[in-house]
Amino acid sequence: SGEKNQSVGPTYNLRYPDVVVWMPDSIGSSNGKASIIEEIETADSVNDSEAEQWKDYGSLGIKFLLIVPRGYCEEALRLIVKYGANVSELWYYLYERDNIKFEKYNR
């Protein structure tokens, strides 16, 4: 929905990934750093425009997981190579009955 809750990156170039896994400096601390970021795409958003954003996320030096619908991994890989995006892991999701299942893509 475009809601921006947690940013990552330098203040002059903030990014807002879909998921930020945060590692606090200590228990109860509000200070810390992002240890993993994730971007979750839909069938419509596995495209050139989003791939440019993947490149930005991959350049932050944080473990970056890209998650796409099942059946879109090869297209995502093509775009990753085209844009030189540093994606740590590629995952896909699928609907199984009333649940969403996530699996790591292994080529």
Side-chain angles (χ1 to χ4, degrees):
S1 69
E3 188 174 323
K4 296 178 178 181
N5 294 314
Q6 181 60 51
S7 63
V8 294
T11 55
Y12 63 87
N13 193 18
L14 292 178
R15 299 288 176 211
Y16 296 88
D18 293 326
V19 177
V20 177
V21 178
W22 189 258
M23 179 69 70
D25 289 338
S26 61
I27 295 174
S29 174
S30 60
N31 294 319
K33 64 179 182 174
S35 59
I36 301 171
I37 57 175
E38 299 176 3
E39 190 68 6
I40 303 170
E41 302 297 354
T42 64
D44 292 338
S45 65
V46 179
N47 59 43
D48 288 276
S49 176
E50 292 298 315
E52 289 180 15
Q53 187 179 54
W54 306 342
K55 184 175 180 178
D56 287 343
Y57 288 139
S59 70
L60 294 173
I62 302 168
K63 185 174 183 176
F64 170 44
L65 279 61
L66 177 62
I67 305 167
V68 300
R70 183 174 68 174
Y72 286 80
C73 291
E74 290 300 319
E75 178 61 9
L77 285 172
R78 184 188 72 75
L79 291 167
I80 288 166
V81 170
K82 179 179 178 180
Y83 286 89
N86 184 18
V87 175
S88 304
E89 295 178 9
L90 178 61
W91 287 67
Y92 64 90
Y93 61 90
L94 61 127
Y95 295 95
E96 206 170 74
R97 297 183 191 96
D98 291 335
N99 297 310
I100 299 175
K101 184 176 180 181
F102 294 88
E103 294 187 8
K104 186 175 178 181
Y105 180 71
N106 295 307
R107 191 170 202 191

